Amino acid sequence: MCDDKSWQKTHLFIDFWLILPCIWKNSLQMGYDNFILTVNSSSIIILLVMAAILLTATRFRGENGYAAAIIVVPNVPVYLYNMSRMLEWHDLSLFMLPISNSVNTLLMPLLWLFAKKNFEPSFRLKPIHLLHLLPGLICLVLCLSMSPEERLASIRYEMTGDDSLLGDVNTCLIFMQMIGYFTVIFRFLYRKKKAIRETSSDAEWVQKEWISTFEYLFAALFVIVMVCYAIWPRTDAWLIQILNVVAMFYLVYNTIAHPVMPIKQVVEEISEPSETNEAESSVISTIDEQQMKEVCDRASRYMAESKAYLRPDISLALFAKEVNIPQRTLSRAINGYLGYNFFEFVNRMRVEEAKHLLCGLKATDFNIDSIYTDCGFRSRSTFYMVFKKMTGMTPAAWLETR
């Protein structure tokens, strides 16, 4: 039986493919050109409103500026160009052509930057990172090398439903970006997920998990767009816009719903152990099931007696020092014997504490939201996410079953 998140993702795609015939039918009834014009103008308004809501609700904190840039910069100029082309506003379309063919190559670098800044707050842009602008610069130079007459001829040729040389170059660059950037982004997120969940007990990953889902959603939408474009290039004038609005709604909702929580800098394990941890590595390589059980029993006993799980800042490194067990030995024992990592080890105890407190709420007038800090969680949203992940129910639904 699939979980709620999986069902929501599946439901999203099912809904899209169910409404797609309706979209196509409406486009035929209203005229294809009018349909494209309506989609682009509506998308511009919706995206600008979402960006304003995002920045207002989050007060420009954290990485929300990058999220707003993802919404506006690579999309709005392109849609303005599509509108001016459809309305035959040639002065505006001639002006927007170099801009739209340049800024749409910024989407992938912005997605990469958004992931980096969320999981590495200390990340800073360097001069070498200007290379990310190279595809856009290529398109800009190519556009500006054309005379106004050649650009106008290119625009009119695109109106026939085929792509000009400029459009083909832009499409190839974006396709190569898609392959390269998504490969780098997913590899980066996988490594961060592994490092964070093995060294932290708090909800750093749960709080940021939606970012990974957002990147996967965008990759899936990109594949849909590329397949449809290969079948019929004219879909780039409306399908991308509709899918972008869906993805950006997901981005805005989750950015607002999940307050910015700084991620601790996690030092990833080095494949070859240094001289200072050779002895520990030797112990880890020979630890057997009985030893792992003893380590887990000792850790569980100390955690329950000291109630260390109630501290929001508890981490694998701190706990290992308190219980006097080498950090890597403790991590290996929990993963090997219990079948889950330190992150889940602590949150399971927190959820049990939450259940105990929830049962006590029946005899009081306190609200469910009042107990999350008493369980060791930093935020209400984290408490609800972890509780539902562990029990399959929200705290309120669980309480109703008691």
Side-chain angles (χ1 to χ4, degrees):
M1 187 174 181
C2 62
D3 57 22
D4 288 346
K5 285 188 177 180
S6 298
W7 168 244
Q8 288 172 1
K9 294 178 202 171
T10 305
H11 192 59
L12 178 65
F13 285 104
I14 291 174
D15 284 347
F16 171 73
W17 290 114
L18 286 176
I19 67 172
L20 190 57
C22 297
I23 294 174
W24 177 249
K25 181 179 178 180
N26 289 336
S27 72
L28 293 176
Q29 291 176 345
M30 69 190 305
Y32 190 67
D33 289 349
N34 288 334
F35 169 70
I36 292 176
L37 185 62
T38 301
V39 169
N40 281 270
S41 58
S42 301
S43 297
I44 291 173
I45 295 172
I46 292 171
L47 292 179
L48 289 176
V49 169
M50 284 197 292
I53 291 173
L54 171 65
L55 293 176
T56 302
T58 59
R59 300 178 184 177
F60 297 84
R61 291 177 296 184
E63 287 65 59
N64 302 313
Y66 297 102
I70 292 172
I71 295 171
V72 175
V73 174
N75 301 310
V76 172
V78 178
Y79 304 163
L80 280 172
Y81 169 67
N82 287 339
M83 287 179 58
S84 65
R85 189 178 59 178
M86 298 302 302
L87 294 170
E88 297 185 359
W89 294 347
H90 294 316
D91 289 340
L92 180 58
S93 57
L94 283 171
F95 175 75
M96 293 303 302
L97 177 63
I99 298 174
S100 65
N101 275 269
S102 303
V103 297
N104 65 356
T105 63
L106 296 179
L107 177 59
M108 295 309 305
L110 284 171
L111 288 173
W112 169 80
L113 183 61
F114 183 64
K116 291 285 285 187
K117 289 296 293 182
N118 268 281
F119 290 97
E120 290 183 1
S122 62
F123 174 77
R124 295 292 180 271
L125 289 172
K126 300 177 182 178
I128 188 67
H129 293 134
L130 291 175
L131 290 174
H132 292 285
L133 303 178
L134 186 58
L137 186 60
I138 291 173
C139 291
L140 182 62
V141 170
L142 186 59
C143 284
L144 296 179
S145 66
M146 302 167 63
S147 66
E149 292 76 16
E150 289 174 324
R151 271 184 258 165
L152 185 57
S154 176
I155 292 170
R156 285 173 172 165
Y157 183 73
E158 288 178 355
M159 291 295 294
T160 65
D162 293 324
D163 248 344
S164 62
L165 174 62
L166 181 61
D168 289 336
V169 171
N170 185 261
T171 301
C172 289
L173 287 172
I174 292 177
F175 181 72
M176 289 188 290
Q177 280 186 311
M178 181 183 73
I179 296 174
Y181 276 96
F182 277 132
T183 300
V184 171
I185 289 171
F186 293 149
R187 183 171 180 269
F188 169 77
L189 291 174
Y190 172 78
R191 294 171 65 186
K192 282 297 174 184
K193 175 181 179 180
K194 183 177 179 182
I196 291 170
R197 296 185 73 173
E198 287 186 356
T199 58
S200 172
S201 68
D202 205 4
E204 283 91 348
W205 176 253
V206 172
Q207 193 74 1
K208 300 280 188 177
E209 189 176 17
W210 71 269
I211 296 173
S212 179
T213 304
F214 170 69
E215 299 281 1
Y216 281 111
L217 172 64
F218 229 108
L221 298 184
F222 247 103
V223 171
I224 293 173
V225 166
M226 285 298 177
V227 171
C228 293
Y229 178 82
I231 298 172
W232 187 30
R234 287 284 277 168
T235 57
D236 69 339
W238 60 272
L239 181 60
I240 296 174
Q241 289 79 336
I242 294 173
L243 296 182
N244 258 337
V245 168
V246 173
M248 296 312 168
F249 177 81
Y250 183 89
L251 172 64
V252 171
Y253 170 78
N254 282 282
T255 303
I256 295 174
H258 301 87
V260 174
M261 179 183 293
I263 296 287
K264 300 181 181 70
Q265 292 301 303
V266 180
V267 179
E268 297 181 2
E269 299 292 344
I270 302 174
S271 57
E272 294 184 5
S274 62
E275 294 180 1
T276 57
N277 60 20
E278 282 183 356
E280 186 178 327
S281 297
S282 177
V283 172
I284 290 177
S285 64
T286 59
I287 190 171
D288 58 25
E289 186 174 353
Q290 180 59 33
Q291 290 172 314
M292 287 193 290
K293 180 180 182 303
E294 292 173 359
V295 169
C296 290
D297 288 344
R298 180 176 165 187
S300 299
R301 187 164 53 252
Y302 180 84
M303 185 71 79
E305 292 174 354
S306 66
K307 292 191 177 293
Y309 57 88
L310 298 180
R311 290 164 21 207
D313 62 343
I314 191 67
S315 66
L316 176 63
L318 289 174
F319 184 71
K321 187 177 292 186
E322 289 181 17
V323 78
N324 197 27
I325 299 174
Q327 180 176 330
R328 295 178 66 190
T329 302
L330 178 60
S331 178
R332 172 70 181 274
I334 292 174
N335 280 271
Y337 184 74
L338 297 179
Y340 45 81
N341 53 43
F342 184 73
F343 178 87
E344 294 183 43
F345 174 67
V346 176
N347 279 332
R348 284 172 182 267
M349 291 192 172
R350 287 177 173 170
V351 169
E352 290 304 314
E353 181 75 15
K355 290 178 180 179
H356 173 72
L357 294 176
L358 284 171
C359 290
L361 289 178
K362 285 191 171 183
T364 68
D365 294 329
F366 287 104
N367 189 282
I368 291 176
D369 294 344
S370 66
I371 70 170
Y372 71 84
T373 54
D374 295 331
C375 305
F377 293 102
R378 284 189 176 132
S379 69
R380 173 186 177 278
S381 59
T382 300
F383 167 55
Y384 272 73
M385 282 188 293
V386 172
F387 192 96
K388 188 171 183 179
K389 186 174 183 179
M390 295 288 182
T391 65
M393 295 181 285
T394 63
W398 182 89
L399 189 57
E400 289 179 359
T401 65
R402 299 301 100 188

